[in-house]
Short mmCIF file of all heavy atoms in Angstrom, two decimals:
data_model
loop_
_atom_site.label_atom_id
_atom_site.label_comp_id
_atom_site.label_asym_id
_atom_site.label_seq_id
_atom_site.Cartn_x
_atom_site.Cartn_y
_atom_site.Cartn_z
N GLY A 1 -43.35 1.94 -10.69
CA GLY A 1 -42.38 1.20 -11.49
C GLY A 1 -41.27 0.58 -10.68
O GLY A 1 -40.65 1.25 -9.86
N PHE A 2 -40.99 -0.72 -10.91
CA PHE A 2 -39.85 -1.42 -10.31
C PHE A 2 -39.84 -1.32 -8.79
O PHE A 2 -38.83 -1.02 -8.18
CB PHE A 2 -38.54 -0.90 -10.91
CG PHE A 2 -38.57 -0.87 -12.41
CD1 PHE A 2 -38.56 0.33 -13.10
CD2 PHE A 2 -38.62 -2.04 -13.13
CE1 PHE A 2 -38.60 0.35 -14.48
CE2 PHE A 2 -38.66 -2.04 -14.51
CZ PHE A 2 -38.66 -0.85 -15.19
N ARG A 3 -41.01 -1.56 -8.22
CA ARG A 3 -41.14 -1.56 -6.76
C ARG A 3 -41.83 -2.84 -6.31
O ARG A 3 -42.68 -3.37 -7.05
CB ARG A 3 -41.94 -0.34 -6.28
CG ARG A 3 -41.26 0.99 -6.55
CD ARG A 3 -42.10 2.14 -5.99
NE ARG A 3 -42.31 2.00 -4.57
CZ ARG A 3 -43.17 2.74 -3.87
NH1 ARG A 3 -43.89 3.66 -4.48
NH2 ARG A 3 -43.30 2.56 -2.56
N PRO A 4 -41.50 -3.34 -5.11
CA PRO A 4 -42.16 -4.56 -4.62
C PRO A 4 -43.67 -4.39 -4.54
O PRO A 4 -44.16 -3.36 -4.08
CB PRO A 4 -41.56 -4.74 -3.21
CG PRO A 4 -40.30 -3.95 -3.22
CD PRO A 4 -40.52 -2.81 -4.15
N ASN A 5 -44.39 -5.39 -5.01
CA ASN A 5 -45.86 -5.43 -4.94
C ASN A 5 -46.53 -4.31 -5.71
O ASN A 5 -47.69 -3.96 -5.42
CB ASN A 5 -46.31 -5.41 -3.47
CG ASN A 5 -45.69 -6.52 -2.64
OD1 ASN A 5 -45.65 -7.67 -3.08
ND2 ASN A 5 -45.18 -6.18 -1.47
N ARG A 6 -45.82 -3.72 -6.67
CA ARG A 6 -46.40 -2.69 -7.53
C ARG A 6 -46.07 -3.02 -8.98
O ARG A 6 -45.08 -3.68 -9.26
CB ARG A 6 -45.88 -1.30 -7.17
CG ARG A 6 -46.44 -0.78 -5.87
CD ARG A 6 -45.78 0.52 -5.42
NE ARG A 6 -46.39 0.99 -4.20
CZ ARG A 6 -47.29 1.97 -4.14
NH1 ARG A 6 -47.66 2.60 -5.24
NH2 ARG A 6 -47.80 2.35 -2.98
N SER A 7 -46.93 -2.55 -9.88
CA SER A 7 -46.76 -2.92 -11.28
C SER A 7 -47.59 -1.99 -12.15
O SER A 7 -48.22 -1.04 -11.65
CB SER A 7 -47.25 -4.37 -11.49
OG SER A 7 -48.64 -4.45 -11.20
N VAL A 8 -47.63 -2.29 -13.44
CA VAL A 8 -48.52 -1.57 -14.35
C VAL A 8 -49.96 -1.72 -13.88
O VAL A 8 -50.76 -0.78 -13.97
CB VAL A 8 -48.37 -2.12 -15.79
CG1 VAL A 8 -49.41 -1.51 -16.71
CG2 VAL A 8 -46.98 -1.81 -16.33
N HIS A 9 -50.30 -2.89 -13.34
CA HIS A 9 -51.67 -3.14 -12.92
C HIS A 9 -52.06 -2.27 -11.72
O HIS A 9 -53.19 -1.78 -11.65
CB HIS A 9 -51.84 -4.63 -12.57
CG HIS A 9 -51.49 -5.54 -13.70
ND1 HIS A 9 -52.23 -5.60 -14.86
CD2 HIS A 9 -50.45 -6.39 -13.87
CE1 HIS A 9 -51.68 -6.47 -15.69
NE2 HIS A 9 -50.59 -6.96 -15.12
N SER A 10 -51.14 -2.07 -10.79
CA SER A 10 -51.45 -1.19 -9.65
C SER A 10 -51.57 0.26 -10.11
O SER A 10 -52.36 1.03 -9.57
CB SER A 10 -50.40 -1.33 -8.55
OG SER A 10 -49.11 -0.93 -8.99
N ALA A 11 -50.77 0.64 -11.14
CA ALA A 11 -50.89 1.99 -11.69
C ALA A 11 -52.26 2.17 -12.34
O ALA A 11 -52.93 3.20 -12.15
CB ALA A 11 -49.78 2.24 -12.71
N LEU A 12 -52.70 1.17 -13.10
CA LEU A 12 -54.01 1.22 -13.74
C LEU A 12 -55.12 1.30 -12.69
O LEU A 12 -56.08 2.07 -12.85
CB LEU A 12 -54.21 0.00 -14.63
CG LEU A 12 -55.59 -0.13 -15.30
CD1 LEU A 12 -55.91 1.08 -16.15
CD2 LEU A 12 -55.65 -1.40 -16.14
N ALA A 13 -54.99 0.52 -11.63
CA ALA A 13 -56.00 0.54 -10.56
C ALA A 13 -56.11 1.93 -9.95
O ALA A 13 -57.21 2.39 -9.61
CB ALA A 13 -55.65 -0.48 -9.48
N GLN A 14 -54.97 2.63 -9.82
CA GLN A 14 -55.00 3.98 -9.27
C GLN A 14 -55.69 4.94 -10.24
O GLN A 14 -56.52 5.76 -9.83
CB GLN A 14 -53.58 4.47 -9.00
CG GLN A 14 -53.53 5.82 -8.32
CD GLN A 14 -52.11 6.21 -7.92
OE1 GLN A 14 -51.29 5.38 -7.57
NE2 GLN A 14 -51.82 7.50 -8.00
N VAL A 15 -55.38 4.82 -11.54
CA VAL A 15 -56.00 5.69 -12.54
C VAL A 15 -57.50 5.49 -12.58
O VAL A 15 -58.27 6.45 -12.78
CB VAL A 15 -55.36 5.44 -13.93
CG1 VAL A 15 -56.12 6.20 -15.02
CG2 VAL A 15 -53.89 5.86 -13.93
N GLU A 16 -57.95 4.27 -12.37
CA GLU A 16 -59.38 3.98 -12.43
C GLU A 16 -60.17 4.62 -11.30
O GLU A 16 -61.39 4.67 -11.34
CB GLU A 16 -59.60 2.46 -12.44
CG GLU A 16 -59.23 1.82 -13.78
CD GLU A 16 -59.41 0.31 -13.78
OE1 GLU A 16 -59.45 -0.28 -12.67
OE2 GLU A 16 -59.49 -0.27 -14.87
N THR A 17 -59.48 5.13 -10.28
CA THR A 17 -60.17 5.84 -9.19
C THR A 17 -60.37 7.32 -9.50
O THR A 17 -60.99 8.03 -8.72
CB THR A 17 -59.38 5.72 -7.86
OG1 THR A 17 -58.13 6.42 -7.97
CG2 THR A 17 -59.13 4.26 -7.51
N TRP A 18 -59.81 7.78 -10.62
CA TRP A 18 -59.90 9.19 -10.98
C TRP A 18 -61.26 9.47 -11.60
O TRP A 18 -61.43 9.42 -12.83
CB TRP A 18 -58.80 9.58 -11.96
CG TRP A 18 -57.40 9.39 -11.45
CD1 TRP A 18 -57.01 8.96 -10.22
CD2 TRP A 18 -56.19 9.62 -12.18
NE1 TRP A 18 -55.65 8.91 -10.13
CE2 TRP A 18 -55.12 9.31 -11.32
CE3 TRP A 18 -55.92 10.06 -13.48
CZ2 TRP A 18 -53.80 9.43 -11.72
CZ3 TRP A 18 -54.60 10.17 -13.88
CH2 TRP A 18 -53.55 9.86 -13.01
N ARG A 19 -62.23 9.75 -10.82
CA ARG A 19 -63.59 9.98 -11.31
C ARG A 19 -63.74 11.35 -11.97
O ARG A 19 -63.21 12.35 -11.47
CB ARG A 19 -64.60 9.86 -10.16
CG ARG A 19 -64.53 8.53 -9.39
CD ARG A 19 -64.81 7.35 -10.29
NE ARG A 19 -64.76 6.10 -9.56
CZ ARG A 19 -64.69 4.90 -10.13
NH1 ARG A 19 -64.66 4.82 -11.44
NH2 ARG A 19 -64.65 3.81 -9.38
N SER A 20 -64.46 11.37 -13.07
CA SER A 20 -64.84 12.62 -13.75
C SER A 20 -63.66 13.43 -14.26
O SER A 20 -63.76 14.65 -14.42
CB SER A 20 -65.70 13.50 -12.83
OG SER A 20 -66.82 12.78 -12.35
N THR A 21 -62.53 12.79 -14.51
CA THR A 21 -61.36 13.49 -15.04
C THR A 21 -61.70 14.10 -16.40
O THR A 21 -62.36 13.46 -17.23
CB THR A 21 -60.16 12.53 -15.17
OG1 THR A 21 -59.85 12.01 -13.88
CG2 THR A 21 -58.95 13.24 -15.74
N VAL A 22 -61.25 15.33 -16.63
CA VAL A 22 -61.54 16.04 -17.87
C VAL A 22 -60.32 16.04 -18.80
O VAL A 22 -60.44 15.77 -19.99
CB VAL A 22 -61.98 17.49 -17.58
CG1 VAL A 22 -62.28 18.23 -18.88
CG2 VAL A 22 -63.21 17.49 -16.67
N TRP A 23 -59.12 16.32 -18.25
CA TRP A 23 -57.92 16.43 -19.07
C TRP A 23 -56.82 15.49 -18.55
O TRP A 23 -56.66 15.32 -17.35
CB TRP A 23 -57.37 17.87 -19.09
CG TRP A 23 -58.31 18.84 -19.73
CD1 TRP A 23 -59.14 19.72 -19.10
CD2 TRP A 23 -58.53 19.01 -21.14
NE1 TRP A 23 -59.86 20.43 -20.03
CE2 TRP A 23 -59.51 20.02 -21.29
CE3 TRP A 23 -58.00 18.41 -22.28
CZ2 TRP A 23 -59.96 20.43 -22.53
CZ3 TRP A 23 -58.45 18.82 -23.53
CH2 TRP A 23 -59.42 19.82 -23.64
N PHE A 24 -56.09 14.90 -19.49
CA PHE A 24 -54.93 14.07 -19.17
C PHE A 24 -53.67 14.71 -19.73
O PHE A 24 -53.67 15.21 -20.85
CB PHE A 24 -55.07 12.66 -19.77
CG PHE A 24 -56.08 11.79 -19.08
CD1 PHE A 24 -57.29 11.49 -19.69
CD2 PHE A 24 -55.82 11.27 -17.83
CE1 PHE A 24 -58.22 10.68 -19.07
CE2 PHE A 24 -56.75 10.46 -17.18
CZ PHE A 24 -57.95 10.16 -17.81
N ILE A 25 -52.60 14.70 -18.92
CA ILE A 25 -51.27 15.08 -19.40
C ILE A 25 -50.43 13.80 -19.40
O ILE A 25 -50.15 13.23 -18.35
CB ILE A 25 -50.61 16.13 -18.49
CG1 ILE A 25 -51.51 17.35 -18.32
CG2 ILE A 25 -49.24 16.53 -19.05
CD1 ILE A 25 -51.00 18.34 -17.27
N GLU A 26 -50.08 13.36 -20.59
CA GLU A 26 -49.25 12.15 -20.73
C GLU A 26 -47.79 12.58 -20.76
O GLU A 26 -47.30 13.04 -21.79
CB GLU A 26 -49.62 11.40 -22.00
CG GLU A 26 -51.08 10.99 -22.08
CD GLU A 26 -51.44 10.46 -23.46
OE1 GLU A 26 -50.88 9.42 -23.86
OE2 GLU A 26 -52.25 11.11 -24.14
N GLY A 27 -47.10 12.43 -19.63
CA GLY A 27 -45.74 12.95 -19.51
C GLY A 27 -44.68 11.95 -19.96
O GLY A 27 -44.69 10.79 -19.54
N ASP A 28 -43.78 12.41 -20.80
CA ASP A 28 -42.66 11.59 -21.27
C ASP A 28 -41.38 12.38 -21.08
O ASP A 28 -41.20 13.45 -21.66
CB ASP A 28 -42.84 11.22 -22.74
CG ASP A 28 -41.74 10.29 -23.24
OD1 ASP A 28 -40.63 10.81 -23.53
OD2 ASP A 28 -41.96 9.09 -23.34
N ILE A 29 -40.47 11.85 -20.25
CA ILE A 29 -39.19 12.51 -20.00
C ILE A 29 -38.17 12.00 -21.02
O ILE A 29 -37.95 10.79 -21.13
CB ILE A 29 -38.69 12.23 -18.57
CG1 ILE A 29 -39.73 12.72 -17.55
CG2 ILE A 29 -37.35 12.92 -18.33
CD1 ILE A 29 -39.41 12.34 -16.11
N SER A 30 -37.58 12.91 -21.77
CA SER A 30 -36.66 12.52 -22.85
C SER A 30 -35.41 11.85 -22.28
O SER A 30 -34.72 12.43 -21.44
CB SER A 30 -36.25 13.75 -23.66
OG SER A 30 -37.36 14.32 -24.31
N ALA A 31 -35.15 10.62 -22.74
CA ALA A 31 -33.91 9.90 -22.40
C ALA A 31 -33.57 10.02 -20.92
O ALA A 31 -32.44 10.33 -20.56
CB ALA A 31 -32.77 10.41 -23.27
N CYS A 32 -34.56 9.77 -20.07
CA CYS A 32 -34.38 10.01 -18.63
C CYS A 32 -33.18 9.26 -18.06
O CYS A 32 -32.33 9.85 -17.38
CB CYS A 32 -35.65 9.61 -17.89
SG CYS A 32 -35.54 9.81 -16.10
N PHE A 33 -33.10 7.96 -18.30
CA PHE A 33 -32.01 7.17 -17.72
C PHE A 33 -30.65 7.67 -18.20
O PHE A 33 -29.67 7.66 -17.45
CB PHE A 33 -32.17 5.69 -18.08
CG PHE A 33 -33.17 4.96 -17.21
CD1 PHE A 33 -34.53 5.08 -17.44
CD2 PHE A 33 -32.74 4.16 -16.17
CE1 PHE A 33 -35.46 4.41 -16.65
CE2 PHE A 33 -33.66 3.48 -15.36
CZ PHE A 33 -35.02 3.62 -15.61
N ASP A 34 -30.59 8.12 -19.44
CA ASP A 34 -29.32 8.59 -20.01
C ASP A 34 -28.93 9.98 -19.55
O ASP A 34 -27.77 10.37 -19.69
CB ASP A 34 -29.39 8.58 -21.55
CG ASP A 34 -29.54 7.18 -22.11
OD1 ASP A 34 -29.09 6.23 -21.45
OD2 ASP A 34 -30.13 7.03 -23.20
N GLU A 35 -29.89 10.74 -19.02
CA GLU A 35 -29.64 12.13 -18.69
C GLU A 35 -29.58 12.42 -17.19
O GLU A 35 -29.46 13.58 -16.79
CB GLU A 35 -30.71 13.02 -19.33
CG GLU A 35 -30.66 13.06 -20.86
CD GLU A 35 -29.34 13.62 -21.37
OE1 GLU A 35 -28.81 14.57 -20.74
OE2 GLU A 35 -28.84 13.12 -22.39
#
């Protein structure tokens, strides 16, 4: 996030290399910027 030459698309490209993944943890930090 918010880095030169990186984006949502580069994040997706990284996730697509995760072969045979069984479980996902979708992490959400509550009000991160505010805290």
Side-chain angles (χ1 to χ4, degrees):
F2 310 112
R3 295 182 59 191
N5 305 315
R6 288 172 177 259
S7 63
V8 173
H9 302 293
S10 62
L12 176 58
Q14 185 174 327
V15 172
E16 287 178 340
T17 66
W18 300 357
R19 304 300 181 194
S20 305
T21 300
V22 180
W23 295 102
F24 287 108
I25 305 172
E26 302 170 64
D28 184 281
I29 302 173
S30 296
C32 178
F33 280 79
D34 295 332
E35 293 298 322

